[in-house]
Amino acid sequence: MLRMRVLGTSERQPARPVLTASLDLAARLPRLILEARRVSASVHGIHGRRRAGPGETFWQYRPLVTGESASRIDWRRSARDGHLFVREREWEASHAIWLWIDRSASMGFASSLALASKVDRALIAGFALAETLVEGGERVGHLGLTRALASRRIVETLAQAILVDAKGADADLPPDAPLPRLADAIIITDGLSPAASLAKRIATMASSGARGHVLLIADPIEETFPFTGQAELFDLEDGLSLRVGDAGSWGEEYRQRLEAHRDAIKEACRKAGWTLTLHRTDRPASEGVLRIASLIAASRGPGR
């Protein structure tokens, strides 16, 4: 990507408009929550309920995992074929789904062609997915901020946690830690951090066998780079600027680099067994939400 770096720069100084927009989050959240609920209602039912009871009844047998207590072994089932099995109950089989929503400075961008800024679209999509998945019987949490919950107030819980999380505005990558084996991840980002860094995080998160989905948020201007004439480029995360000559001459190289950058992220997802979905902010939020909800429903398989 054409991101600017200056040798010797040790601290990020985000551009002032981005800082102002982040401080306005408290004022925007009520509108974003309402929009997320509208989007969730439009895709309601795509993720059917997986649990019929309170979670104490038998769900399935599964192989014993290294490190689990021997007291969990079902010896009668294990004796049938010489392998050790555990009786998994419904609450254990309800895989937690972990969101991570990128709120770094680059997410604050919105062109005149977009329906919303990237960060607002990311929050709407994340909230809508959380409500949809909880309605389907899942437990949802935000990585590094909340526990995985099956609460009817999941959207308010996530919104409150995000609002008070000042450090999250500087993070352009998800936490560098593996997810539980039975977990799913939904990473919502513009993917403008170095592709190698994002690929490494995806590999780490998936190292235990966790499944995942990356929802890549893009502004239509970022896709096409339609500029000509004299231009000044700004790095929203470092607060730096660069005057260039004919912007049109940059266009072809920019689009090639963008394609190579996306290909690297796509390859990282492929290696991890994850999915990658591109969502543009000039399209309805429901499209991205429906796509991710459908992928998670399909990954569960029939009857699960």
Side-chain angles (χ1 to χ4, degrees):
M1 291 301 298
L2 298 177
R3 299 188 62 192
M4 293 165 28
R5 297 285 181 184
V6 173
L7 295 177
T9 300
S10 59
E11 294 184 359
R12 286 184 170 183
Q13 298 179 349
R16 184 166 298 278
V18 176
L19 288 176
T20 302
S22 66
L23 293 174
D24 189 43
L25 179 59
R28 301 198 320 273
L29 269 177
R31 174 181 60 81
L32 299 181
I33 290 172
L34 286 174
E35 177 65 11
R37 290 218 157 98
R38 185 192 67 78
V39 172
S40 177
S42 72
V43 300
H44 181 71
I46 193 67
H47 188 87
R49 291 195 61 86
R50 299 177 59 246
R51 295 178 294 171
E56 293 300 322
T57 58
F58 171 73
W59 180 263
Q60 65 181 359
Y61 289 108
R62 65 167 174 80
L64 180 73
V65 176
T66 302
E68 289 189 293
S69 171
S71 63
R72 302 199 62 191
I73 298 173
D74 186 287
W75 294 105
R76 180 176 297 178
R77 173 66 182 84
S78 301
R80 294 182 193 173
D81 52 17
H83 296 287
L84 298 178
F85 288 92
V86 169
R87 287 176 64 90
E88 193 172 54
R89 299 186 183 277
E90 283 183 307
W91 69 272
E92 295 171 309
S94 180
H95 306 183
I97 296 176
W98 293 98
L99 286 168
W100 184 78
I101 302 173
D102 187 351
R103 292 173 288 122
S104 60
S106 66
M107 293 289 288
F109 179 70
S111 73
S112 59
L113 301 180
L115 299 175
S117 68
K118 291 187 290 184
V119 68
D120 281 7
R121 179 55 56 84
L123 289 167
I124 289 170
F127 293 159
L129 281 165
E131 179 150 297
T132 299
L133 293 167
V134 166
E135 284 292 319
E138 304 288 355
R139 293 178 296 123
V140 178
H142 190 292
L143 285 169
L145 291 185
T146 73
R147 295 184 296 113
L149 303 169
S151 168
R152 292 182 178 179
R153 292 184 55 80
I154 187 62
V155 174
E156 287 82 1
T157 299
L158 294 177
Q160 181 62 33
I162 287 171
L163 184 61
V164 300
D165 176 41
K167 293 181 179 179
D170 294 326
D172 57 3
L173 291 169
D176 189 18
L179 290 170
R181 183 177 63 88
L182 299 180
D184 286 76
I186 302 173
I187 307 303
I188 306 177
T189 178
D190 60 5
L192 294 186
S193 54
S197 299
L198 181 54
K200 183 179 179 180
R201 294 294 170 92
I202 290 172
T204 299
M205 296 172 73
S207 61
S208 62
R211 296 172 299 196
H213 310 274
V214 176
L215 182 61
L216 212 57
I217 307 292
D219 188 284
I221 287 290
E222 294 174 332
E223 297 286 281
T224 58
F225 199 81
F227 307 109
T228 58
Q230 298 293 313
E232 186 173 9
L233 306 180
F234 292 92
D235 186 322
L236 297 178
E237 300 205 352
D238 288 330
L240 305 173
S241 63
L242 173 68
R243 290 186 180 276
V244 299
D246 181 15
S249 65
W250 285 55
E252 184 58 31
E253 182 182 0
Y254 170 86
R255 287 185 285 272
Q256 290 175 358
R257 291 196 179 192
L258 177 63
E259 183 177 1
H261 183 82
R262 296 264 178 84
D263 285 344
I265 297 174
K266 186 183 300 183
E267 178 63 11
C269 289
R270 187 194 65 78
K271 288 181 177 179
W274 288 26
T275 70
L276 177 67
T277 298
L278 176 64
H279 175 71
R280 288 174 37 153
T281 53
D282 59 345
R283 301 296 304 167
S286 56
E287 291 184 358
V289 172
L290 179 61
R291 169 69 175 168
I292 299 299
S294 298
L295 287 169
I296 291 177
S299 71
R300 295 302 202 226
R304 296 192 64 187

